[in-house]
Amino acid sequence: MVPSFVSIPPITPSSSAKAPLIPTYMAESTTPSVVSLPDSCREEDAGSAFVLESKGTWWHAGFHLTTAIVGPTILTLPYAFRGLGWGLGFLCLSVMGIVTFYSYYLMSKVLDHCEKSGRRHIRFRELAADVLGSGWMFYFVIFVQTAINLGVGIGTILLAGECLQIMYSELSPNGPLKLYEFIAMVTTAMVILSQLPTFHSLRYLNMGSLLLCLGYSFLVVGACIRAGLSKNAPHRDYSLETSNSARVFSAFTAISILAAIFGNGILPEIQATVAPPATGKMLKALLMCYTVIFVTFYSTAVSGYWAFGNKSNSNILNSLMPDSGPSLAPTWVLGLAVIFVLLQLLAIGQVYSQVAYEIMEKKSADVNQGMFSKRNLIPRMILRTLYMIFCGFIAAMIPFFGDISGAVGAIGFIPLDFVLPMLLYNMTYKPQKSSLTYWINMSIMVVFTGVGILGAFSSVRKLVLDAKRFKLFGSDVVD
């Protein structure tokens, strides 16, 4: 849902004077006509002028995109494989990779097409409303993006708090600090970083994020191989659930997790950071991102599932440091990996918060008084601080990292990353119904709509079942 402190104006021709592009819907036509406003009107939109300023290059977009997709959620890949097994796990991982690359490429082409027509869209919600010619689509995208923002914000803070807890437990096994106290520490750091004013200002932070994800991926892969070959190696069992119904639910939950891992849901906002003209630049950014994906995803999934089988935790670092028995990897390796994960999570939390910041600032900021004026600085500090505190509070209250990933994937990423891009492309380019492109797009839409519905049901079911295993503000993350 949209946070209560955000007021979203209705999309009507008469009330959208601040929007750079206004879709005007004619009763006698199914094709929307678009009115381009003069620059003076665009300048009134503080969300675009401040948060989504367009100054970046394609490699800056590549840094943003890689940070949005390649994060510590890849440590959940062995956990997803345990619900699918080797064969289906490889197949689903590969299909998700191919489909998401294709999906993001199609969306970038739609954005390029609109830009060439004089309608450069910098927000997903405006793109969807313009191309599909429906005001309700504007609010649908806001709802889904808000669900993603909150889910990722909560998940990153929770996982970062768990990383701090892991380091603390190694240094002080019987220490008094609880998980919620580490979550409070992470939330404080997030509040400080949230004051970076624009998406573009995260470019160097996200370049470091790309290097960090490569670093901890290599460390985790090496640790899993060592653990699998050691004399203390756990018994490996790759069997699935014995009950057919449980196996089906586990499979769809795993597919939802994979969708969350590959998803981003903010590609138009990332492309908005590129200095115009943006045509063709996102393809280079996608190639950069998916090179990193290929290197990290497969190596982490294979090594983790090979070492631990169906005993893999939702965070593979926990499998490497079991509650009983010796650690299965050198302390310095795990410590360094945890530090890398912790640092990258700070960047990821900020990337996914940009849509929320843009929505808030569009209504609270006055673009005519400057980004760092007292008039704009104070509301920005207050609203962004409250948003991060809310995410931290929910993370401390319901520590379900694996379950949150599945729910966000089914409810958020599947509609925005697997369904809408295909629909937007078909509506924009209008491929013939007899063409291969049309039927590929339609097939992806139908299949992933079904997967999303079943995945959402499975994820909610697992959340309900796991609710019996935790206490409010507990000190253990439930797998």
Side-chain angles (χ1 to χ4, degrees):
M1 59 180 291
V2 180
S4 59
F5 52 79
V6 179
S7 176
I8 305 299
I11 287 297
T12 63
S14 61
S15 64
S16 300
K18 293 186 180 182
L21 303 167
I22 301 181
T24 304
Y25 310 113
M26 310 301 292
E28 66 273 15
S29 174
T30 58
T31 303
S33 61
V34 178
V35 180
S36 296
L37 294 184
D39 291 341
S40 59
C41 291
R42 287 193 186 94
E43 291 173 358
E44 295 180 3
D45 186 348
S48 61
F50 292 167
V51 181
L52 298 179
E53 64 175 352
S54 304
K55 292 184 177 180
T57 61
W58 70 264
W59 61 85
H60 293 151
F63 297 153
H64 300 323
L65 193 60
T66 304
T67 300
I69 299 177
V70 190
T73 48
I74 66 175
L75 303 180
T76 314
L77 281 169
Y79 174 80
F81 263 53
R82 87 179 197 181
L84 297 168
W86 280 116
L88 194 56
F90 265 115
L91 177 63
C92 290
L93 183 63
S94 301
V95 168
M96 288 288 185
I98 294 169
V99 170
T100 51
F101 182 89
Y102 176 71
S103 172
Y104 300 146
Y105 175 65
L106 292 189
M107 185 177 291
S108 71
K109 288 194 68 176
V110 173
L111 288 164
D112 290 347
H113 180 274
C114 292
E115 182 176 349
K116 289 176 182 177
S117 302
R119 299 154 27 224
R120 188 177 190 225
H121 291 295
I122 61 173
R123 301 175 176 97
F124 202 147
R125 58 189 184 271
E126 291 176 355
L127 173 67
D130 177 18
V131 175
L132 300 179
S134 174
W136 69 266
M137 185 57 67
F138 182 93
Y139 297 101
F140 172 77
V141 173
I142 285 181
F143 172 79
V144 176
Q145 280 193 322
T146 301
I148 290 174
N149 293 340
L150 287 174
V152 174
I154 293 166
T156 52
I157 291 175
L158 175 58
L159 185 55
E162 187 184 15
C163 289
L164 282 177
Q165 185 185 44
I166 288 172
M167 291 189 288
Y168 177 74
S169 63
E170 287 296 307
L171 297 173
S172 178
N174 299 313
L177 295 182
K178 304 296 182 183
L179 177 62
Y180 63 83
E181 294 173 281
F182 297 112
I183 287 175
M185 298 176 195
V186 173
T187 303
T188 302
M190 288 289 198
V191 167
I192 295 171
L193 287 174
S194 72
Q195 303 310 315
L196 290 170
T198 70
F199 204 156
H200 181 64
S201 64
L202 300 177
R203 61 195 182 281
Y204 297 119
L205 184 67
N206 290 338
M207 179 180 69
S209 167
L210 188 154
L211 299 175
L212 288 168
C213 74
L214 289 173
Y216 67 70
S217 295
F218 294 150
L219 289 170
V220 168
V221 169
C224 287
I225 293 173
R226 183 183 185 275
L229 297 175
S230 70
K231 63 180 181 180
N232 296 317
H235 173 69
R236 290 192 287 274
D237 183 3
Y238 304 114
S239 61
L240 302 178
E241 301 277 359
T242 55
S243 167
N244 288 334
S245 60
R247 189 178 302 178
V248 170
F249 283 125
S250 296
F252 278 104
T253 300
I255 291 172
S256 298
I257 291 173
L258 291 177
I261 292 173
F262 274 102
N264 74 74
I266 54 173
L267 187 136
E269 285 79 7
I270 291 175
Q271 185 159 331
T273 66
V274 177
T279 302
K281 295 177 181 177
M282 280 304 292
L283 178 58
K284 296 178 182 179
L286 282 167
L287 290 172
M288 174 197 288
C289 175
Y290 273 77
T291 299
V292 178
I293 285 175
F294 181 79
V295 171
T296 56
F297 280 34
Y298 282 92
S299 59
T300 303
V302 170
S303 61
Y305 188 59
W306 170 77
F308 299 102
N310 57 18
K311 300 299 181 184
S312 301
N313 288 315
S314 64
N315 182 350
I316 200 64
L317 292 175
N318 286 338
S319 298
L320 290 165
M321 294 190 304
D323 294 333
S324 60
S327 175
L328 298 175
T331 301
W332 71 268
V333 170
L334 295 177
L336 193 58
V338 168
I339 291 172
F340 286 176
V341 167
L342 175 62
L343 293 175
Q344 197 206 14
L345 284 166
L346 300 178
I348 293 172
Q350 297 310 314
V351 164
Y352 277 96
S353 298
Q354 295 305 307
V355 175
Y357 298 161
E358 180 268 317
I359 292 173
M360 292 187 289
E361 217 148 307
K362 184 176 180 180
K363 298 302 295 180
S364 67
D366 183 355
V367 72
N368 297 314
Q369 297 198 32
M371 188 182 299
F372 297 102
S373 65
K374 184 177 180 181
R375 162 66 181 80
N376 292 330
L377 185 62
I378 292 176
R380 179 191 307 142
M381 291 179 63
I382 293 173
L383 290 174
R384 294 188 182 192
T385 298
L386 289 174
Y387 179 80
M388 281 299 167
I389 290 175
F390 176 76
C391 290
F393 178 80
I394 299 299
M397 188 169 65
I398 49 172
F400 294 127
F401 178 61
D403 294 351
I404 287 175
S405 295
V408 170
I411 298 170
F413 288 118
I414 285 180
L416 291 193
D417 294 331
F418 295 87
V419 179
L420 269 180
M422 315 301 165
L423 182 59
L424 294 173
Y425 182 87
N426 284 355
M427 293 289 291
T428 300
Y429 286 91
K430 296 180 172 55
Q432 294 183 354
K433 293 185 178 180
S434 59
S435 67
L436 180 61
T437 299
Y438 178 85
W439 284 107
I440 288 175
N441 292 350
M442 290 299 296
S443 299
I444 291 173
M445 288 170 56
V446 171
V447 169
F448 281 95
T449 297
V451 169
I453 293 171
L454 292 174
F457 180 78
S458 300
S459 298
V460 172
R461 172 182 174 272
K462 193 168 188 308
L463 276 169
V464 172
L465 293 176
D466 286 344
K468 303 173 183 177
R469 299 172 48 201
F470 90 109
K471 296 189 236 179
L472 207 61
F473 297 100
S475 196
D476 294 310
V477 177
V478 178
D479 285 331

